[in-house]
């Protein structure tokens, strides 16, 4: 049995052989294979066939090998499954922002506890990101993704049954631990199947699934939470926001089953010295894409470059026991992230992710709460204009003068969820622009444009005087920040070498989650006590972090390291 392939396509269906002539190698090319001979040629070189599939057996590097599988059915199935993983991750993260207004009574929440509930999932993600990312670099992407998806679904279901604040916090933390590995691993996995000519657009396409996740969860909240579905007894409550959570768990279980269809990353297998297993997967992808036999795949051997050979030699040192070997792998990959020449990329990616996600989650997670506050203000003062700060002051003072039973109202108007749905839907056209332009305008263009525009939107929140203006600014912010999210995902995925990719993304994601925690806790406090401060802080951090991306190398249409 060949490791990494789905069971229905195993080694018995293929004829994997090494090249009979090691004198020939293939250099990466989009249109043809360039043959280089290591022997002296005195006569006229033979003309290569115009169709590379009819060329004689060659050894090829990774980029040539993935190009010759041709782009087709497999890659679109891969996009759908990996996109669903990304979509379910975003649904689980952002779902809390829709739960908070309705769960306020059940879980006895104030502004501070709401901030911690928004943040606890990020704390879990910080713990999980590094652990899962390191395991994916030592054990493989596919296995880790299946375990993560199953754990994620189970934790969401368990949290929906929690009847008080502390158990709910615990399950949300465990949910975060699972989600922490989802981002780093799925982006590494997806990118390693993409040829360089399409990688930017396809990574942007996958980033669009985050927006789809936002839209789906906002639509679900609008339909389910105000509906009053569920039941309430003297001893047990399972009301509409809990039903909403249960539905949000379904994609995780679907993903867990679908991942069984996909093979292990051939790039990862190459980094472990398993050329024949990687080649067998290339043959299977070729069969799925073209409908031809696996043995018709023109590449008969894979090249491992000098740098990769050095890494493989280091991994061959004797270690007793699988656990000891895994521990050495994790320690070794982490150490390399903080050594030259990778150190520069690590520190910049950490900083950009930190600043970007303070702004992204600091505002996005609080938009439904802001919509709800504007709605409360307009109910007391119909037709009267008021800034975000004035509205916030009114709501805070109102709640402080009422008893807990008087101030708690779990009946949230459906317009709050509809406004949230409109704001996240604005990200769709922005994602389409990112998909079409990521490989032409480049990652850095979208990163700078997005962060500067989002920063201006954040600063513009100070000048909002009614709920309509608040909705417009929120929608623009949602759109431009989603472009930046796509560009950031491309940059961070491509800047790290294969053997460090999942761990490097994981370390970057740890800083992103820390940004999410600070964004939620600090903004929650500043919003109620020093209202203009959050918008100014977010604006500065977004713009400064975006400009730092100019220091990173240009990875547009470049081969993965």
């Amino acid at each position: 049995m060949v490791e990494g392939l789905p069971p229905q396509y195993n080694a018995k269906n293929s004829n994997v052989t090494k090249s009979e002539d090691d004198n020939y190698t293939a250099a990466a090319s989009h249109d043809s294979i360039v043959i280089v001979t290591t022997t002296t040629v005195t006569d006229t070189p033979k003309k290569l066939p115009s169709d590379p599939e009819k060329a004689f057996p060659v050894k090829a590097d990774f980029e040539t090998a993935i190009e010759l599988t041709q782009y087709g059915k497999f890659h679109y199935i891969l996009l759908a499954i990996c996109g669903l993983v990304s979509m379910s991750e975003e649904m689980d993260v952002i779902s809390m922002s829709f739960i908070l207004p309705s769960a306020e009574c059940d879980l006895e929440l104030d502004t501070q506890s709401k901030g911690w509930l928004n943040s606890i999932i990020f704390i879990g993600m910080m713990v999980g990101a590094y652990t899962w990312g390191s395991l994916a670099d030592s054990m493989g992407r596919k296995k880790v993704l299946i375990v993560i998806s199953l754990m994620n679904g189970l934790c969401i279901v368990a949290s929906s049954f929690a009847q008080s604040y502390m158990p709910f916090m615990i399950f949300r933390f465990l949910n975060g631990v699972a989600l922490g590995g989802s981002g780093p691993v799925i982006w590494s996995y997806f990118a390693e199947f993409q040829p360089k000519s399409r990688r930017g657009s396809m990574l942007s396409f996958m980033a669009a699934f985050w927006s789809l996740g936002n839209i789906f969860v906002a639509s679900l909240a609008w339909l389910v939470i105000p509906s009053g579905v569920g039941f309430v007894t003297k001893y047990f409550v399972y009301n509409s926001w809990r039903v909403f959570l249960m539905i949000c768990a379904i994609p995780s279980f679907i993903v867990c089953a679908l991942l069984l269809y996909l093979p292990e990353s051939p790039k990862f297998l190459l980094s472990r010295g398993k050329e024949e297993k990687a080649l067998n997967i290339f043959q299977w992808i070729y069969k799925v894409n073209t409908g031809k036999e696996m043995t018709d795949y023109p590449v008969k051997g894979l090249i491992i470059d000098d740098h990769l050979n050095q890494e493989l030699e280091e991994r061959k040192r004797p270690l007793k026991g699988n656990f000891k070997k895994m521990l050495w792998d994790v320690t070794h990959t982490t150490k390399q992230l903080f050594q030259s020449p990778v150190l520069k990329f690590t520190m910049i990616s950490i900083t950009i992710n930190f600043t970007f996600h303070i702004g992204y989650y600091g505002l996005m997670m609080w938009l439904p709460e802001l919509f709800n506050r504007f709605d409360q203000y307009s109910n007391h003062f119909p037709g009267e204009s008021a800034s975000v700060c004035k509205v916030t002051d009114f709501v805070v003072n109102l709640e402080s003068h009422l008893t807990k039973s008087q101030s708690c109202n779990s009946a949230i108007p459906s317009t709050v969820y509809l406004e949230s749905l409109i704001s996240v839907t604005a990200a769709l056209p922005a994602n389409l622009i990112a998909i079409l332009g990521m490989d032409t305008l480049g990652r850095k263009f979208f990163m700078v444009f997005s962060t500067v525009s989002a920063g201006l939107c954040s600063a513009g929140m100070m000048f909002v005087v009614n709920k309509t203006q608040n909705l417009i600014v929120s929608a623009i912010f949602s759109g431009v920040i989603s472009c930046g999210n796509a560009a950031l995902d491309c940059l961070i995925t491509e800047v790290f070498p294969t053997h460090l990719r999942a761990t490097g993304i994981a370390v970057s994601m740890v800083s992103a989650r820390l940004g999410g925690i600070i964004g939620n806790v600090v903004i929650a406090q500043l919003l109620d006590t020093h209202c203009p401060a959050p918008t100014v802080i977010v604006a500065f951090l977004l713009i400064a972090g975006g400009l730092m991306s100019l220091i990173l190398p240009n990875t547009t249409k470049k081969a993965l390291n």
Side-chain angles (χ1 to χ4, degrees), residues 422-489:
I422 292 170
S423 66
V424 297
T425 303
L428 275 184
N431 273 283
L432 180 61
I433 293 170
I435 291 167
L436 296 175
M438 193 62 70
D439 280 326
T440 51
L441 297 174
R443 286 64 158 149
K444 294 182 182 182
F445 169 83
F446 279 102
M447 192 68 203
V448 173
F449 168 77
S450 167
T451 50
V452 171
S453 301
L456 293 175
C457 284
S458 178
M461 295 289 282
M462 290 189 295
F463 304 101
V464 166
V465 295
N466 56 54
K467 61 187 299 183
T468 302
Q469 292 180 9
N470 181 53
L471 177 59
I472 292 171
V473 174
S474 299
I476 296 172
F477 178 84
S478 174
V480 294
I481 202 74
S482 67
C483 279
N485 187 51
L488 181 59
D489 286 334

Side-chain angles (χ1 to χ4, degrees), residues 5-28:
L5 270 180
Q8 65 268 37
Y9 291 98
N10 216 276
K12 65 182 180 181
N13 296 322
S14 64
N15 182 23
V16 181
T17 58
K18 292 207 178 242
S19 171
E20 294 178 358
D21 188 350
D22 285 335
N23 289 332
Y24 296 102
T25 60

Side-chain angles (χ1 to χ4, degrees), residues 33 52-53 58 60 63-70 286 290 297-299:
I33 301 176
E53 294 186 14
V58 293
E63 288 295 337
T64 305
I66 197 69
E67 286 279 359
L68 289 176
T69 62
Q70 302 185 30
Y286 175 80
T290 66
Y297 181 60
V299 177

Side-chain angles (χ1 to χ4, degrees), residues 224-440:
V224 175
I225 297 179
S227 70
V229 296
F231 61 91
V232 178
T233 69
K234 184 178 179 181
Y235 303 102
F236 188 78
V237 176
Y238 205 85
N239 45 12
S240 59
W241 67 264
R242 299 173 190 276
V243 174
F244 164 74
L245 260 187
M246 178 69 79
I247 298 173
C248 287
I250 294 174
S252 295
F253 294 115
I254 295 174
V255 161
C256 191
L258 291 176
L259 284 168
L260 295 173
Y261 169 81
L262 297 176
E264 182 54 88
S265 160
K267 190 82 172 178
F268 166 78
L269 292 173
L270 269 180
S271 74
R272 311 300 290 186
K274 300 177 181 179
E275 301 102 304
E276 289 196 1
K277 293 174 181 177
L279 181 57
N280 196 248
I281 289 171
F282 281 130
Q283 291 177 324
W284 178 71
I285 295 172
Y286 175 80
K287 176 183 172 69
V288 174
N289 283 344
T290 66
K292 299 179 182 179
E293 292 300 318
M294 292 170 68
T295 50
D296 291 338
Y297 181 60
V299 177
K300 306 303 177 184
L302 296 170
I303 298 170
I304 297 181
D305 59 33
D306 292 339
H307 179 74
L308 195 52
N309 266 321
Q310 183 182 351
E311 289 296 323
L312 293 173
E313 288 301 318
E314 290 181 12
R315 291 181 188 276
K316 288 179 182 177
R317 63 175 63 185
L319 289 169
K320 294 182 180 179
N322 289 334
F323 178 77
K324 206 169 185 179
K325 186 175 188 305
M326 183 186 71
L327 193 63
W328 182 85
D329 280 339
V330 170
T331 305
H332 182 63
T333 53
T334 305
K335 182 180 177 182
Q336 290 181 81
L337 284 175
F338 294 93
Q339 292 177 336
S340 183
V342 185
L343 174 62
K344 175 184 175 181
F345 305 144
T346 304
M347 298 310 297
I348 293 174
S349 66
I350 285 173
T351 305
I352 295 174
N353 267 286
F354 177 74
T355 57
F356 184 88
H357 286 86
I358 281 182
Y360 181 79
Y361 287 116
L363 284 185
M364 287 294 290
M365 295 287 278
W366 284 98
L367 286 181
E369 179 72 12
L370 281 176
F371 292 140
N372 189 38
R373 290 183 176 188
F374 263 103
D375 211 72
Q376 288 184 54
Y377 186 88
S378 62
N379 287 339
H380 285 80
F381 306 100
E384 185 174 321
S385 298
S387 67
V388 170
C389 294
K390 185 176 179 180
V391 167
T392 298
D393 288 341
F394 166 76
V395 173
V396 171
N397 290 330
L398 179 66
E399 291 178 352
S400 67
H401 286 91
L402 295 173
T403 64
K404 184 171 289 187
S405 60
Q406 289 175 319
S407 62
C408 183
N409 180 14
S410 60
I412 307 301
S414 61
T415 53
V416 170
Y417 298 105
L418 180 59
E419 288 163 351
S420 300
L421 175 59
I422 292 170
S423 66
V424 297
T425 303
L428 275 184
N431 273 283
L432 180 61
I433 293 170
I435 291 167
L436 296 175
M438 193 62 70
D439 280 326
T440 51

Side-chain angles (χ1 to χ4, degrees), residues 122-135:
F122 295 114
I123 296 173
M125 290 170 91
M126 285 178 64
V127 174
Y130 174 75
T131 306
W132 294 116
S134 299
L135 287 175

Side-chain angles (χ1 to χ4, degrees), residues 118-156:
N118 265 343
S119 300
I120 192 65
I121 195 167
F122 295 114
I123 296 173
M125 290 170 91
M126 285 178 64
V127 174
Y130 174 75
T131 306
W132 294 116
S134 299
L135 287 175
D137 276 336
S138 62
M139 296 174 60
R141 317 316 197 196
K142 177 181 171 179
K143 295 175 185 175
V144 170
L145 280 170
I146 292 172
V147 174
I148 286 170
S149 299
L150 181 60
M151 178 180 173
N152 184 43
L154 292 174
C155 288
I156 299 170

